[in-house]
Amino acid sequence: MTDTTTPVPLTFASRVDQVFPMLTSEQIARIAAHGQVRHVQRGEVLMEAGEQTPRFFVVTAGHIAIVRPSGSTEELVAVLRPGQFTGEVTMLSGRRGFVRLRAGEPGDVIEVEREHVLALVQTDGELSEILLRAFLLRRVELIAHGFGDVVLVGSRHAAGTLRIQAFLTRNGHPYSTIDLDRDAGVQALLDRFQVTVDDVPVVICRGEVVLRNPTNRQVADCLGFNEAIDHTQVRDLVIVGAGPAGLSAAVYSASEGLDVLMLETNSPGGQAGSSSQIENYLGFPTGISGQDLATRAYTQAQKFGAQLLIAQSATQLVCDRKPYAIEIDQGPRVLARTVIIATGAEYRRLAIENLAQFEGVGVYYGATFVEAQVCGGEEVIVVGGGNSAGQAAVFLAHTARRVHILIRSGGLAASMSRYLIQRIEETPAIVLRPHTVITALEGGDHLERVRWRDNQTGTSETHAIRHVFAMTGAVPNTGWLAGCVALDAQGFIKTGVDLSPEALAAARWPLARAPHLLETSLPGVFAVGDVRGGNIKRVASAVGEGSIAVAFVHQVLHE
Ligand SMILES: Cc1cc2nc3c(=O)[nH]c(=O)nc-3n(C[C@H](O)[C@H](O)[C@H](O)COP(=O)(O)OP(=O)(O)OC[C@H]3O[C@@H](n4cnc5c(N)ncnc54)[C@H](O)[C@@H]3O)c2cc1C
């Protein structure tokens, strides 16, 4: 280690045995079969922070310091002794790492290339459990300590701040924040990078690149989220959309040996990822947050070798030739023998003229921990009478002073589960306002006032409410399919037995066999989850359909 090192070790104390487990000699021998022994000198850098291809090391003699470079100094994160190993989630994703590995004294390590680590976690159950648990817990620690390669300089009054926070959080990427509203000394930092207040939020990426109010795509590019992925090869299966349906299809297809690529406009998890607490998903009696479920599913898909292009939207399906091609915004097209469409549906927007002005700065389409923090102690409105509106109201009632639920109809019984209605009735902070619609939104940089009308009495009222959660039904994400597959009257994709002989004839179905379950009017192209006509809009049904479609993908690949 250099003399400039500042000894500030992290406090992993609570679960140190799981974060930095000690491997047995038998386990080390099994890893050694996949790598090579390397002698290291004192001070030698084994891996640099930000190096493109992560490698894995097991210490067998001496010790390795995990350090975080900061200018010409290093901050000590942890010290690994014989039997301990390096690595975290980037080992699975193939993204750049955040730390430098430096030998603290002369010693020996076993060095293993990333692809051999991936093979190991797929074939050795015992090592898979130890390694994956340590990788995930280390990522949790990095996030908790903001130990990433990103600084977000933002303001609660800038819509982009919440968007980028949500993007980084939902991609499980550690970052630290500087809040312009609270940190008076930040102006000097902005001046240093010649950034004006209009450029907010600012993302400082890897301590070098300064992005001014960037798109999610620019953030993903800067952090190299997609660098390790080859666009050129023809994939057995391309899955469009990484919500529960797409992630499930990825886990099953990759674990069954298919070469799988997922495309995702935003972050893994889809709508479910924005759910504060999913309470009816099998196996989680106390509920699980959508973010947790998505993180676990994404890690599981990566463990089996599925790859995900983040912040890349499918813009067109080219369906007049095989393999099928999928055009991506600003990127090279990807080629697929089979396709699973799992693009879900989006919540309807409120019919208010100046809505866009307040989206992200007072009007939200999901109620997660991030939004709950922003509106803590204030009055909020939830619009909608479905289950997601009910969940949002109950969740927000923990932190908000009062939650008004606005519904057009006279009651919730026809649209919401009984257990949620009961929770709402038992929560004094929630007020149900039937027959009520929002008619105007007012404010400047942020929503300040909401006007609503009671359609029964005809009276209108204006309230100083700064946060509206719109949860009012869904529209399918099928715009990019441009006539390739048959849709129902609401624009959802028709599959299997829902495709009548007339619909198949109109779509020029070319095969003697009928479409498989979940297959669209285009052979080898399947639709699963919320985007599919007749789908029950639940996480469990999305997950189930994702797995079922894979069984038929195998059949099509063998046709
Ligand atoms: C706040 C909230 C709470 C909910 N709570 C529950 C609950 O408690 N229990 C329950 O069972 N269900 C719940 N639901 C419903 C459940 O989340 C959905 O049924 C489920 O997420 C559907 O999964 P999906 O994969 O089909 O679609 P989605 O989750 O919508 O995922 C689709 C994905 O496709 C991506 N995408 C769209 N277009 C493109 C494109 N062109 N290119 C690339 N990617 C694209 C989207 O970004 C998205 O990530 C809730 C929904 C919400 C919004």
Side-chain angles (χ1 to χ4, degrees):
M1 229 177 296
T2 60
D3 295 332
T4 50
T5 300
T6 321
V8 191
L10 283 183
T11 51
F12 295 105
S14 55
R15 0 174 223 198
V16 70
D17 292 350
Q18 292 179 340
V19 183
F20 295 111
M22 199 66 79
L23 298 172
T24 64
S25 50
E26 292 78 28
Q27 290 164 344
I28 294 174
R30 297 213 296 277
I31 294 174
H34 294 265
Q36 56 189 33
V37 177
R38 176 172 155 187
H39 186 70
V40 294
Q41 302 300 333
R42 181 175 195 271
E44 185 178 336
V45 173
L46 280 75
M47 205 169 73
E48 195 49 88
E51 213 175 284
Q52 201 168 350
T53 319
R55 282 162 294 136
F56 176 80
F57 298 93
V58 181
V59 185
T60 50
H63 72 260
I64 293 180
I66 303 177
V67 296
R68 192 180 174 220
S70 171
S72 59
T73 61
E74 290 176 342
E75 191 176 354
L76 182 63
V77 177
V79 174
L80 301 179
R81 310 264 169 211
Q84 293 178 311
F85 55 87
T86 64
E88 61 96 45
V89 169
T90 46
M91 195 58 63
L92 301 178
S93 62
R95 293 182 196 157
R96 294 168 190 260
F98 308 115
V99 292
R100 178 181 290 160
L101 302 178
R102 189 188 279 287
E105 58 182 305
D108 292 314
V109 295
I110 298 165
E111 178 175 347
V112 189
E113 299 295 330
R114 174 176 166 257
E115 57 268 32
H116 292 136
V117 179
L118 289 179
L120 194 66
V121 295
Q122 284 174 38
T123 50
D124 189 319
E126 187 191 27
L127 282 171
S128 169
E129 194 186 322
I130 297 169
L131 264 54
L132 288 185
R133 188 171 51 211
F135 292 169
L136 285 170
L137 290 174
R138 289 173 189 178
R139 176 54 68 98
V140 170
E141 293 288 345
L142 289 175
I143 290 172
H145 292 267
F147 263 33
D149 46 4
V150 189
V151 180
L152 174 64
V153 186
S155 158
R156 283 194 280 172
H157 303 297
T161 304
L162 202 59
R163 171 179 54 80
I164 293 172
Q165 261 185 309
F167 180 68
L168 292 170
T169 304
R170 289 185 58 186
N171 278 293
H173 197 91
Y175 66 97
S176 46
T177 49
I178 296 176
D179 186 348
L180 278 172
D181 305 323
R182 291 186 189 170
D183 197 330
V186 82
Q187 194 56 49
L189 182 100
L190 293 185
D191 291 346
R192 204 175 118 215
F193 288 102
Q194 288 156 9
V195 170
T196 69
V197 175
D198 293 342
D199 293 327
V200 169
V202 173
V203 173
I204 302 171
C205 185
R206 294 188 184 143
E208 299 161 352
V209 185
V210 177
L211 302 172
R212 294 150 201 244
N213 196 8
T215 60
N216 292 351
R217 169 72 186 262
Q218 286 170 316
V219 176
D221 285 348
C222 180
L223 294 173
F225 278 5
N226 300 319
E227 274 174 347
I229 297 176
D230 177 7
H231 282 67
T232 55
Q233 71 197 78
V234 182
R235 306 285 179 152
D236 292 333
L237 170 63
V238 171
I239 300 166
V240 186
L247 286 168
S248 158
V251 167
Y252 283 90
S253 53
S255 68
E256 290 164 16
L258 299 183
D259 172 20
V260 187
L261 178 69
M262 279 183 283
L263 302 178
E264 169 54 52
T265 299
N266 199 354
S267 323
Q271 287 187 61
S274 69
S275 171
S276 44
Q277 191 78 342
I278 299 168
E279 295 201 42
N280 55 0
Y281 189 55
L282 188 74
F284 295 91
T286 54
I288 180 166
S289 78
Q291 172 72 43
D292 273 358
L293 189 65
T295 304
R296 288 172 191 219
Y298 181 33
T299 305
Q300 201 173 6
Q302 285 180 311
K303 168 183 142 175
F304 290 121
Q307 295 183 316
L308 173 58
L309 281 172
I310 299 271
Q312 307 236 348
S313 292
T315 53
Q316 198 193 333
L317 176 62
V318 182
C319 55
D320 58 356
R321 75 194 74 149
K322 282 194 174 175
Y324 297 121
I326 295 162
E327 302 281 359
I328 301 177
D329 56 343
Q330 300 166 41
R333 52 169 53 180
V334 294
L335 301 172
R337 294 188 184 91
T338 60
V339 178
I340 291 183
I341 302 167
T343 44
E346 257 168 39
Y347 273 84
R348 289 205 175 83
R349 302 168 83 227
L350 304 174
I352 294 169
E353 212 173 286
N354 60 345
L355 178 75
Q357 182 188 342
F358 299 114
E359 284 180 316
V361 282
V363 175
Y364 317 97
Y365 295 94
T368 67
F369 180 68
V370 175
E371 287 85 12
Q373 275 188 322
V374 172
C375 57
E378 298 190 45
E379 289 196 40
V380 307
I381 292 172
V382 172
V383 183
N387 278 352
S388 51
Q391 282 172 3
V394 171
F395 174 67
L396 291 166
H398 293 306
T399 43
R401 186 152 50 85
R402 177 160 302 153
V403 180
H404 304 266
I405 302 181
L406 270 53
I407 51 170
R408 274 179 191 277
S409 64
L412 297 172
S415 53
M416 196 180 284
S417 298
R418 182 64 219 152
Y419 83 95
L420 276 171
I421 297 178
Q422 201 174 338
R423 292 250 175 99
I424 288 169
E425 287 167 353
E426 289 165 357
T427 309
I430 303 181
V431 184
L432 179 66
R433 298 193 176 278
H435 307 293
T436 306
V437 292
I438 293 182
T439 51
L441 300 172
E442 297 167 14
D445 290 345
H446 195 281
L447 178 65
E448 299 296 341
R449 286 169 303 282
V450 177
R451 189 163 181 75
W452 70 54
R453 186 181 61 231
D454 182 325
N455 281 338
Q456 250 191 348
T457 62
T459 50
S460 287
E461 297 171 12
T462 301
H463 291 262
I465 293 180
R466 294 161 29 83
H467 307 284
V468 173
F469 293 83
M471 310 236 146
T472 48
V475 181
N477 292 319
T478 48
W480 62 283
L481 292 166
C484 281
V485 300
L487 306 178
D488 69 15
Q490 284 75 42
F492 290 87
I493 301 174
K494 284 187 177 180
T495 55
V497 291
D498 290 345
L499 287 158
S500 62
E502 297 74 43
L504 288 176
R508 301 208 181 118
W509 175 260
L511 305 178
R513 68 163 174 84
H516 292 298
L517 189 68
L518 306 176
E519 196 171 21
T520 68
S521 57
L522 193 60
V525 176
F526 297 80
V528 294
D530 280 12
V531 75
R532 195 179 67 78
N535 161 274
I536 307 296
K537 299 203 166 21
R538 294 274 183 278
V539 175
S541 57
V543 168
E545 290 183 12
S547 74
I548 294 168
V550 170
F552 295 109
V553 163
H554 284 292
Q555 292 191 22
V556 170
L557 288 172
H558 287 106
E559 266 172 1

